[in-house]
C-alpha cells in the first residue's frame, strides 16, 4: 500500500512563480522518508498541497488511496501535519490545544483526554499542561505541535523542517521520538535541508531542486554518491607545489591546501603522507557542506543526462 502518491504535481502561484514543475513521488506505508532540498526548492509547497493548505495547479495526490480531489475528508483524516512556523494559539492552555484538535477530528471526550495525556507525556509536556503555549520554550512549542498532530493517530505524519533552529539536544530527542513512532507503524515524511538529519532518520530520500525531483532513491544509494570528500588544510608553513602520493592536491591562493579523499582512502593515510614530508597541519575543515556537494553532483548528472 502506498501512503502517498504524487503524480505530475504542479503549482504555479498567482504571481507566476512555478514552485512545482511536475513532481512524481511515491512513499510506501511504514517508510520514513525525507524530502530534501535547498531553500526555495518547493518542499513547503508540496507539503502544503498534500495537507490541502495550498491548492495545486495540476496533477494528482493520493493519501492511502484517497484522492484529495474525490475524497478530501478521508485523505485529510490520514494526515497529521507539523508545520514549519509555530501556528499555536499562544493564549490557549497546552492541554486545550491538544484536546481541541482531538475534538476537531471527532474523537469523543474520553478518548480525547486519554490521547492528550498519552502524547503530552510522551513529548514531556504533561507537567506544563495548564500553562499557556506562550510560556513554552521554542523546543517545547515544537513538541506541542507534534502532540497536536498525533492526537488523532494519523497513519501519515508530515513534518516541515521539524528541527530548524532547535538546539542539538532537543533535535536528538525529537529524532528518537520520531523513530519510535515510525517503528510502531506510522509513516513519516519530513522536509529538511540538513543532510545529517535525513541520513540519521530516513531510509528513503526524495531530493527536490527548483521544483523538480532530481533524485528519488534509498538513502544508502544517495550516500554512495558522496564517497569523495574535499578537505581544506591550513598548514604551519606555506607549501607551494605540495604533492602527496595517491591524493589529488591543490594549493589555493590563500596558501591553504585542498586534498580530495576518495573511496577507500582514509584521513590517516593522508596524514601519513603529510608526516613523510614534515608538513604540519594547523587545522582541517570540509570544503563543501556535504549537501551542497550532493546537489552539485546530482545537478551535473541531470544536465549531462539531458544533453545525452
Ligand atoms: P522550500 O520549502 O523548499 O524552501 P517553497 O515551497 O517555500 O520552498 O517555495 C518554492 C518557491 O515558491 C519559491 O520560489 C518561493 O519563493 C515560491 N513561493 C512560495 N510560496 C509562495 C507564495 N505564497 N506566493 C508566491 N510564491 C511563493
Amino acid at each position: 500500500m502506498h501512503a502517498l502518491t504524487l503524480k505530475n504535481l504542479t503549482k504555479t502561484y498567482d504571481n507566476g512563480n512555478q514552485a512545482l514543475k511536475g513532481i512524481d513521488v511515491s512513499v510506501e506505508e511504514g517508510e520514513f522518508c525525507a524530502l530534501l532540498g535547498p531553500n526555495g526548492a518547493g518542499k513547503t509547497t508540496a507539503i502544503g498541497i498534500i495537507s490541502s493548505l495550498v491548492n495545486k495547479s495540476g496533477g494528482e495526490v493520493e493519501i492511502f488511496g484517497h484522492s484529495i480531489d474525490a475524497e478530501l475528508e478521508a485523505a485529510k483524516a490520514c494526515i497529521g501535519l507539523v508545520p514549519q512556523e509555530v501556528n499555536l494559539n499562544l493564549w490557549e492552555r497546552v492541554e486545550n490545544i491538544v484536546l481541541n484538535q482531538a475534538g476537531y477530528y471527532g474523537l469523543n471526550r474520553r478518548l480525547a483526554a486519554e490521547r492528550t495525556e498519552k502524547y503530552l507525556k510522551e513529548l514531556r509536556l504533561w507537567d506544563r499542561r495548564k500553562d499557556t503555549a506562550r510560556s513554552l520554550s521554542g523546543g517545547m512549542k515544537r513538541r506541542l505541535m507534534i502532540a497536536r498532530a498525533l492526537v488523532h493517530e494519523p497513519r501519515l505524519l508530515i513534518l516541515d523542517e521539524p528541527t530548524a533552529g532547535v538546539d542539538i539536544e532537543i533535535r536528538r530527542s525529537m529524532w528518537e521520538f520520531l523513530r519510535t513512532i515510525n517503528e510502531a507503524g506510522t509513516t513519516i515524511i519530513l522536509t529538511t535541508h540538513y543532510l545529517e538529519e535525513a541520513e540519521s532518520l530516513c531510509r528513503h530520500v526524495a531530493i527536490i531542486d527548483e521544483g523538480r525531483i532530481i533524485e528519488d532513491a534509498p538513502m544508502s544509494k544517495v550516500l554512495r554518491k558522496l564517497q569523495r570528500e574535499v578537505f581544506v588544510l591550513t598548514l604551519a608553513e606555506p607549501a607551494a607545489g605540495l604533492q602527496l602520493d595517491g591524493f589529488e592536491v591543490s594549493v589555493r591562493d590563500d596558501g591553504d591546501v585542498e586534498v580530495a579523499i576518495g573511496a577507500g582512502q582514509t584521513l590517516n593515510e593522508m596524514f601519513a603522507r603529510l608526516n613523510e614530508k614534515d608538513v604540519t597541519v594547523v587545522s582541517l575543515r570540509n570544503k563543501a557542506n556535504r549537501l551542497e556537494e550532493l546537489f552539485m553532483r546530482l545537478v551535473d548528472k541531470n544536465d549531462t543526462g539531458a544533453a545525452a
Side-chain angles (χ1 to χ4, degrees), residues 3-4 47-55 61-81 101 104-105 148-149 152-158:
L4 175 73
I47 297 297
I49 295 172
I50 296 163
S51 46
S52 58
L53 301 171
V54 173
N55 292 324
V61 178
E62 277 185 12
I63 297 147
F64 288 96
H66 304 293
S67 150
I68 62 165
D69 295 318
E71 300 175 273
L72 181 60
E73 289 310 313
K76 271 165 83 169
C78 296
I79 295 183
L81 173 70
Q101 183 82 353
Y104 174 79
Y105 280 98
R148 182 184 62 179
H152 65 294
E153 300 198 333
R155 297 167 77 185
L156 173 62
L157 180 66
I158 301 177

Side-chain angles (χ1 to χ4, degrees), residues 184-200:
T186 308
T187 309
I188 302 183
I189 300 176
L190 62 82
T191 75
T192 182
H193 53 244
Y194 299 118
L195 182 61
E196 289 66 25
E197 182 155 276
E199 193 176 345
S200 159

Side-chain angles (χ1 to χ4, degrees), residues 232-237 254-257 279-285:
V232 181
L233 280 52
T234 302
L235 308 179
E237 307 280 341
D254 62 5
D256 285 351
V257 172
V279 174
T280 305
V281 179
V282 179
S283 72
L284 166 80
R285 63 186 187 275

